[in-house]
């Protein structure tokens, strides 16, 4: 075996590894079977690596010594025996399907292309002007700009779509921790909005969502009694922009028993009329709250995995898959003149929006836009199966709101074709992102477990019961879900003897159909 013996500095011995005083010397030994243990091998290798440059040179020049590159390869092989490197880390372009609750799954994210129509007007001009100064993606900047502007304009301008649809949208950036540049994407928008109205932005741009009650309290009018005992009401600002850099924590809070955050967030999107009936009731009317979250694809798939949650929460967000390949090691800050130029324009835009709503709050489409919307509306209403379908089930409402935003940024009196085309381009980016992030996910917990089991190879129906305790009806429903989504197929296998054919299931690789 390999033994590590303590020797005072200057003592006898070969191949010393300098640790200071005392020096540790590697000498051969025996543990009875002549084989070193794993721990002894590791200790010996680590001691080797700590040699000084002078000692390592002398050591490598002696005859019979293994070359350094070979020793490094051996050490890597040894460490892989202890902690194998996951395939997902070696080949990020070929992500593997998860195989159990305790594994780490790294998802390779290839963001879609942002359509040219999404660059229409003020939004596109701003993105092009600042993109040369930042490593953020264009889609990431847009994901902050649209809800920020919509928040500042307020809830009054709206378009009709079954109900009032104001310029209020929620977005979520989904990308790797380092290369997603999610936080970087917010910086140009923050600089712009601070220049437009610093007092408003510093007070009404917040973070730290944890409870529905806390969110309602932020936009609730303050009630108190004056010196005469009469109740007084102090009106508060109803516009609020929430930028949540740890969006996974928000998703985790929505799953906790008794937490009403998910319910309140749904109401902020729908009507803005918020209330909770407790011992100390809270309510806020006409709140205008937009949310932008940042999350990694692994966290999102872990936190948002079931159709019920997507229906109640996920489809009220636009999802932006982001990954930046831009490198600006010596990048300069965005020049003040660029921010000043767009801030003045945005101030004029918002002033025009306020003047417009004095006459009428409701925007209408012109004749050409009406025809385009009729065609787009039919496509947006088409149902999709599984989790993707649940995440994309609110397309009509979101596209209406996006078209309104683009019209407001143009200071237009009506929604025109180019505004609908821009909205559809943003929506398509959302669709492509959802398909990338949630591919091969059914949205049914049992169906997803069955899909992972099929990663091992074809299985008979009866074999599933050896891996999980479910009824035949539940199993049949989950398998049917996989078939409906094009994730699995069943073939009849004849018996060798008499009897009915057996059902053999195998997974279908590729994205959901």
């Amino acid at each position: 075996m390999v033994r590590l013996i303590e020797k005072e500095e200057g003592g006898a011995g070969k191949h010393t590894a300098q640790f200071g005083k005392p020096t540790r010397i590697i000498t051969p030994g025996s543990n009875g079977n002549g084989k070193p243990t794993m721990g002894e091998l590791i200790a010996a290798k680590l001691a080797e690596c700590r040699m000084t440059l002078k000692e390592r040179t002398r050591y490598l020049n002696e005859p019979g010594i293994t070359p350094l590159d070979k020793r490094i390869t051996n050490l890597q092989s040894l460490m892989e025996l202890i902690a194998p490197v996951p395939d997902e880390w070696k080949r990020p372009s070929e992500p593997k399907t998860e195989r159990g609750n305790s594994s780490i799954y790294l998802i390779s994210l290839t963001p879609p292309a942002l359509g040219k129509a999404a660059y229409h007007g003020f939004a596109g001009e701003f993105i092009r002007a600042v993109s040369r100064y930042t490593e953020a993606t264009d889609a990431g900047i847009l994901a902050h700009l649209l809800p920020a502007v919509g928040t500042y304009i307020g809830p009054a301008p709206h378009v009709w779509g079954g109900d009032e649809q104001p310029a209020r949208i929620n977005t979520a950036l989904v990308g790797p921790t380092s290369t997603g540049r999610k936080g970087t994407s917010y910086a140009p928008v923050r600089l712009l909005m601070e220049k437009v109205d610093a007092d408003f932005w510093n007070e009404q741009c917040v973070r730290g969502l944890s409870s529905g009650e806390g969110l309602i309290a932020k936009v609730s009018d303050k009630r108190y009694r004056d010196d005469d005992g009469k109740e007084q009401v102090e009106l508060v600002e109803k516009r609020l922009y929430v930028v949540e850099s740890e969006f996974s924590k928000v998703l985790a809070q929505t799953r906790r028993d008794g937490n009403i955050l998910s319910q309140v967030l749904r109401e902020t999107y729908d009507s803005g009329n918020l209330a909770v009936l407790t011992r100390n009731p809270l309510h806020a009317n006409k709140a205008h709250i937009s949310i932008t979250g940042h999350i990694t694809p692994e966290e999102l798939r872990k936190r948002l995995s079931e159709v019920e949650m997507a229906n109640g929460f996920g489809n009220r967000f636009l999802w932006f898959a982001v990954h930046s390949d831009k490198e600006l090691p010596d990048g300069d800050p965005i020049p003040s003149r660029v921010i000043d130029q767009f801030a003045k324009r945005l101030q004029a835009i918002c002033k025009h929006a306020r003047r417009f709503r004095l006459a009428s709050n409701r925007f209408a489409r012109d004749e050409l836009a009406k025809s385009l919307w009729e065609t787009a509306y039919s496509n947006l209403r088409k149902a999709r199966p599984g989790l993707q379908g649940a995440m994309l089930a609110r397309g009509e409402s979101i596209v209406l709101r996006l078209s309104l935003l683009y019209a407001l940024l143009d200071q237009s009196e009506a929604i025109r074709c180019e505004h609908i085309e821009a909205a559809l381009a943003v929506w398509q980016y959302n669709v492509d992102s959802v398909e990338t992030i949630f591919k091969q996910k059914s949205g049914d917990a049992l169906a997803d477990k069955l899909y992972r089991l099929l990663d091992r190879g074809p299985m008979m129906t009866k074999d599933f019961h050896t891996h999980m305790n479910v009824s035949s009806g539940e199993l049949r429903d989950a398998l049917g879900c996989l078939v409906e989504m094009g994730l699995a197929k069943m073939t009849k296998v004849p018996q060798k003897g008499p009897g009915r054919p057996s059902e053999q299931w195998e997974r279908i690789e590729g994205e959901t159909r």
Side-chain angles (χ1 to χ4, degrees):
M1 78 176 186
V2 178
R3 290 188 294 130
L4 301 179
I5 303 176
E6 301 285 355
K7 289 280 188 178
E8 292 296 331
E9 190 169 349
K14 296 178 63 176
H15 312 154
T16 60
Q18 183 171 324
F19 285 76
K21 296 183 180 181
T23 301
R24 298 168 69 86
I25 302 175
I26 307 170
T27 63
S30 174
N31 64 356
N33 58 12
K35 296 181 179 180
T37 65
M38 184 71 73
E40 292 167 338
L41 284 173
I42 295 171
K45 291 296 183 181
L46 292 176
E48 253 182 44
C49 294
R50 291 191 177 97
M51 288 182 179
T52 63
L53 178 61
K54 181 178 180 181
E55 290 169 335
R56 190 177 294 123
T57 301
R58 185 179 72 246
Y59 178 72
L60 294 176
N61 288 336
E62 293 187 8
I65 298 301
T66 304
L68 179 61
D69 58 347
K70 179 66 174 176
R71 291 190 296 118
I72 292 175
T73 301
N74 292 341
L75 180 57
Q76 290 174 340
S77 300
L78 178 64
M79 296 307 295
E80 287 189 3
L81 290 174
I82 304 166
V85 177
D87 289 339
E88 297 92 334
W89 294 8
K90 295 179 180 178
R91 295 183 295 275
S93 60
E94 301 176 5
K96 302 293 183 180
T97 303
E98 55 256 43
R99 294 174 177 266
N101 294 332
S102 61
S103 300
I104 298 175
Y105 325 120
L106 296 184
I107 300 172
S108 177
L109 197 63
T110 303
L114 184 62
K116 183 179 179 180
Y119 290 86
H120 173 78
F122 177 91
E125 293 173 25
F126 177 75
I127 291 171
R128 291 189 180 100
V130 301
S131 63
R132 71 187 69 178
Y133 302 102
T134 176
E135 293 184 349
T137 64
D138 291 356
I141 298 173
L142 187 66
H144 291 90
L145 179 64
L146 293 178
V149 172
T151 300
Y152 188 65
I153 288 176
H158 66 272
V159 59
W160 187 260
D163 199 350
E164 294 183 359
Q165 305 293 341
R168 180 170 64 238
I169 62 170
N170 300 321
T171 59
L173 282 74
V174 186
T177 300
S178 57
T179 58
R181 294 295 187 263
K182 301 182 289 292
T184 304
S185 304
Y186 175 51
V189 178
R190 176 180 56 80
L191 293 173
L192 173 67
M193 300 308 297
E194 287 177 346
K195 199 70 175 180
V196 170
D197 191 337
D199 291 339
F200 172 86
W201 206 247
N202 291 334
E203 182 66 27
Q204 297 305 120
C205 181
V206 299
R207 63 190 63 204
L209 282 177
S210 61
S211 69
E213 293 88 346
L215 185 59
I216 296 174
K218 177 65 177 177
V219 292
S220 294
D221 294 332
K222 309 303 180 185
R223 299 179 180 274
Y224 64 94
R225 293 191 178 277
D226 60 17
D227 296 338
D228 297 329
K230 295 181 179 180
E231 185 178 64
Q232 302 294 329
V233 178
E234 178 185 346
L235 301 181
V236 303
E237 177 62 68
K238 304 296 184 183
R239 295 173 295 170
L240 190 69
Y241 183 40
V242 182
V243 180
E244 197 57 65
S245 59
E246 296 293 339
F247 197 56
S248 62
K249 295 181 179 179
V250 176
L251 295 181
Q253 289 289 343
T254 62
R255 300 175 71 114
R256 292 179 56 188
D257 291 340
N259 192 297
I260 64 169
L261 182 57
S262 177
Q263 170 194 338
V264 171
L265 292 180
R266 293 197 300 268
E267 292 170 349
T268 63
Y269 176 89
D270 295 342
S271 66
N273 297 326
L274 316 177
V276 55
L277 298 179
T278 59
R279 179 173 295 181
N280 298 309
L282 293 170
H283 68 273
N285 294 325
K286 296 299 180 182
H288 189 66
I289 303 173
S290 297
I291 302 166
T292 295
H294 302 168
I295 193 170
T296 65
E298 296 82 16
E299 290 171 331
L300 180 59
R301 286 184 54 147
K302 176 183 177 182
R303 301 291 187 189
L304 194 64
S305 59
E306 297 179 3
V307 170
E308 291 81 5
M309 191 171 183
N311 272 331
F313 182 85
N315 58 25
R316 287 173 169 85
F317 279 78
L318 281 163
W319 301 92
F320 288 75
V322 291
H323 174 81
S324 176
D325 292 325
K326 295 165 67 175
E327 293 185 2
L328 299 174
D330 298 315
D332 295 323
I334 302 173
S336 297
R337 58 177 175 77
V338 174
I339 297 297
D340 292 345
Q341 171 191 350
F342 284 97
K344 290 179 181 178
R345 288 180 58 186
L346 188 54
Q347 287 170 340
I349 288 170
C350 295
K351 186 177 181 180
H352 178 270
R354 287 191 290 269
R355 283 204 311 265
F356 179 83
R357 69 172 183 255
L358 291 176
S360 172
N361 291 330
R362 183 170 300 169
F363 272 70
R365 292 175 287 276
D366 65 19
E367 291 303 319
L368 290 176
K370 287 180 181 179
S371 178
L372 176 59
W373 174 243
E374 288 175 2
T375 302
Y377 186 78
S378 298
N379 293 328
L380 292 169
R381 281 182 56 85
K382 290 181 180 178
R384 293 168 175 255
L387 186 59
Q388 290 184 14
M391 295 287 284
L392 301 172
R394 210 168 291 271
E396 312 96 287
S397 167
I398 292 177
V399 171
L400 280 175
R401 296 182 182 206
L402 288 169
S403 66
L404 173 62
L405 266 168
Y406 276 99
L408 289 169
L409 288 171
D410 265 359
Q411 301 185 44
S412 174
E413 303 295 325
I415 296 174
R416 303 192 300 266
C417 283
E418 55 265 35
H419 304 142
I420 295 178
E421 289 169 350
L424 290 172
V426 177
W427 173 254
Q428 188 59 50
Y429 193 96
N430 169 62
V431 172
D432 294 341
S433 296
V434 168
E435 290 178 347
T436 297
I437 298 163
F438 293 102
K439 61 183 176 182
Q440 298 174 339
K441 294 284 283 185
S442 69
D444 178 273
L446 178 55
D448 288 339
K449 289 181 181 179
L450 297 177
Y451 185 78
R452 290 194 293 269
L453 283 175
L454 289 173
D455 186 35
R456 305 174 182 179
M459 296 179 65
M460 299 298 181
T461 301
K462 60 182 177 63
D463 295 335
F464 290 111
H465 290 287
T466 64
H467 295 278
M468 55 187 66
N469 183 23
V470 295
S471 67
S472 297
E474 291 173 329
L475 179 62
R476 182 66 56 186
D477 290 343
L479 290 170
C481 178
L482 293 179
V483 171
E484 180 184 0
M485 295 193 64
L487 296 177
K489 64 180 180 179
M490 185 269 290
T491 55
K492 297 283 188 178
V493 179
Q495 299 281 8
K496 294 181 179 179
R500 292 182 299 176
S502 300
E503 294 180 345
Q504 178 177 275
W505 296 86
E506 58 182 307
R507 62 188 281 171
I508 299 175
E509 300 293 343
E511 296 189 6
T512 58
R513 301 194 230 305

